[in-house]
Amino acid sequence: MTSRSSKIDKRLAFASATELLARLRNKEFSARALLEFHIERLDKVNGSINAVIFTDLAAARARADEADTATAKGQTWGPLHGLPVTVKESNNIAGWPTTYGDPALRDFIAPRSAVIIDRLRSAGAIIFGKTNVPLNLIDWQSYNAIYGTTRNPWDLSKTPGGSSGGASAALAAGLTPLELGSDAGGSIRMPAHFCGVFGHKPTPGIVPDLGNERAGSLIGNDLVTSGPLARSVADLSLALNILAGPAGDAASGWRLDLPEPRATRLRDFRISIVTNSPVAEVDEPYRAAIRALAARLREEGASVVEESLPFTDHASYHATYVQLLRGSATARLPVAVFDDAVRRSEEQGANVTPYVLQTARAYAQRHRDWLLAEERRAHLKRDWADFFERFDVVIAPATVSAAFPIDEAKSREERTLRINGHDVDYNDQLFWAGLATLPSLPATAVPIDSVNGLPIGVQIIGPHLHDRTTLAFASELERSYPFVAPSAFS
């Protein structure tokens, strides 16, 4: 079959998935042609950023041809019929490697696909590759000993974020129109912010993790959720509709029915805007852009209150989050690492940073301490619910600054960032991830501006299960702040 990918306008490398699907339905080009278009783009561009690190092009081409045959018969597989997509490396796809960037898992081949992968395929998506991640998904840079370093298309010396860094870089560079990431520590929101794309961290539990377990483990983690990244909010909503819903035994008795948006026009939203924290200081140019957004929203007639949150003790909030987030990883630690954490947690006057000590104590905590942290979390969830009686959304920084230089010389624990003229702990930025993760809230990341030639964005946090509210607000913001392609790649 002739692909005729040369007939596709090169500018469509940066089109939304929604637009590409409409063109496929109108038969402006075939699924095979669109796939070949992205493969050619991959050959031309990917070498400089290393975002897509695994492909199965033979299977993708065969699937695209099947999609075109179905189209010729007047059939459709679903709302993503014929769309080529990539997914984050940590997603299990039968017959493909899932390594988490960990050399210990270099030879692991997933025996079966995750439910959300099956849902993408059942909707008609043609998955042609996987995108890069940091080692074990624990960094806001995306490099590992198996696949190497992913770079930000806006500035190759800068990080694209992590752990869905390859996903966001691939979207920004026009290598894929839709991505599937995951988030517990900002892993969708930070890369979206760094690369100028859109991302959605769903309410935990609405997107199933069945079949996406790490090799050798069946234990879930209610801080983690998979979610989409894209170049438009409409694409996020489309993907969420496909991904969300119960799976396995739960599907026999439960159905998901998310509430409609609380509002659909900017002037009808009640907004809290947060720009800074004593725990995670925000760089002033980024902060100024968020304040400018607040002014613009007021001009639109929206109700805006600044620096209001349902808690005042930022340090305690963050400590609870780190305790639960890092504690959830303790079972898969090597024995030597766990023993070291126990030793560090018991040392008096240990010469380590607060984050390193918090992490060690989280790894080594007693079960009673874990339960007490969960109790604090439950109270915070109730406080957030009360807060959202007065507000519809919270706008907050995605992290502390625009994309920062790649630093592979130091471990994560040893790194610092230059913020407002002084060095801060690299790990402070975890606070902004925990803002929505700890209380199990949905959050949509959207671009709003640029600083020194780098894109910046915010996260829009909404009430529990009100994913459609944050997406509706994001869609309104998108009218003024659409995706912009990095000039070096467009």
Side-chain angles (χ1 to χ4, degrees), residues 250-323:
S252 64
W254 297 102
R255 297 292 180 270
L256 180 66
D257 185 15
L258 294 175
E260 291 301 308
R262 288 188 171 190
T264 56
R265 299 177 300 180
L266 285 180
R267 65 177 179 267
D268 295 332
F269 281 92
R270 299 168 298 168
I271 305 161
S272 169
I273 287 194
V274 181
T275 68
N276 207 11
S277 168
V279 170
E281 182 182 353
V282 176
D283 209 34
E284 181 54 34
Y286 181 24
R287 218 183 148 192
I290 301 175
R291 288 197 297 265
L293 173 62
R296 182 164 190 165
L297 292 170
R298 286 194 180 97
E299 291 174 0
E300 293 280 349
S303 169
V304 179
V305 174
E306 295 191 35
E307 310 301 344
S308 180
L309 287 169
F311 59 91
T312 57
D313 190 339
H314 289 219
S316 175
Y317 189 95
H318 184 54
T320 299
Y321 170 55
V322 173
Q323 181 178 349

Side-chain angles (χ1 to χ4, degrees), residues 219-234:
I219 299 175
N221 182 347
D222 74 344
L223 294 171
V224 180
T225 180
S226 294
L229 295 106
R231 290 190 290 262
S232 80
V233 178

Side-chain angles (χ1 to χ4, degrees), residues 25 27 52 74 164 167 202 238 291 353 424 427 436:
R25 288 191 296 271
K27 300 183 180 179
V52 179
S164 308
L238 173 65
R291 288 197 297 265
T353 65
V424 302
N427 300 284

Side-chain angles (χ1 to χ4, degrees), residues 92-104:
N92 285 330
I93 299 180
W96 289 19
T98 303
T99 71
Y100 288 72
D102 187 343

Side-chain angles (χ1 to χ4, degrees), residues 333-396:
L333 293 176
V335 173
V337 176
F338 175 75
D339 288 343
D340 183 65
V342 172
R343 177 186 60 77
R344 283 192 173 190
S345 69
E346 294 173 347
E347 284 181 354
Q348 298 297 319
N351 185 26
V352 294
T353 65
Y355 171 77
V356 170
L357 186 57
Q358 281 180 317
T359 298
R361 288 173 173 169
Y363 287 158
Q365 67 186 294
R366 297 179 178 182
H367 187 58
R368 181 175 185 271
D369 296 329
W370 174 276
L371 291 176
L372 290 172
E374 284 287 6
E375 183 68 31
R376 292 193 298 274
R377 183 186 183 196
H379 283 272
L380 287 166
K381 286 183 177 182
R382 185 183 62 187
D383 293 342
W384 273 104
D386 292 343
F387 182 81
F388 280 121
E389 292 295 320
R390 296 182 289 118
F391 296 97
D392 299 312
V393 294
V394 173
I395 297 176

Side-chain angles (χ1 to χ4, degrees), residues 370-438:
W370 174 276
L371 291 176
L372 290 172
E374 284 287 6
E375 183 68 31
R376 292 193 298 274
R377 183 186 183 196
H379 283 272
L380 287 166
K381 286 183 177 182
R382 185 183 62 187
D383 293 342
W384 273 104
D386 292 343
F387 182 81
F388 280 121
E389 292 295 320
R390 296 182 289 118
F391 296 97
D392 299 312
V393 294
V394 173
I395 297 176
T399 183
V400 297
S401 69
F404 46 81
I406 293 171
D407 178 4
E408 299 178 13
K410 298 177 182 176
S411 70
R412 169 179 171 157
E413 291 76 17
E414 297 173 307
R415 293 184 205 138
T416 59
L417 293 176
R418 194 73 174 172
I419 301 296
N420 295 324
H422 61 96
D423 291 337
V424 302
D425 191 323
Y426 176 90
N427 300 284
D428 288 352
Q429 58 190 317
L430 192 59
F431 170 83
W432 294 110
L435 194 61
T437 297
L438 181 63

Side-chain angles (χ1 to χ4, degrees), residues 56-63:
D56 186 346
L57 301 184
R61 284 172 168 137
R63 185 66 169 162

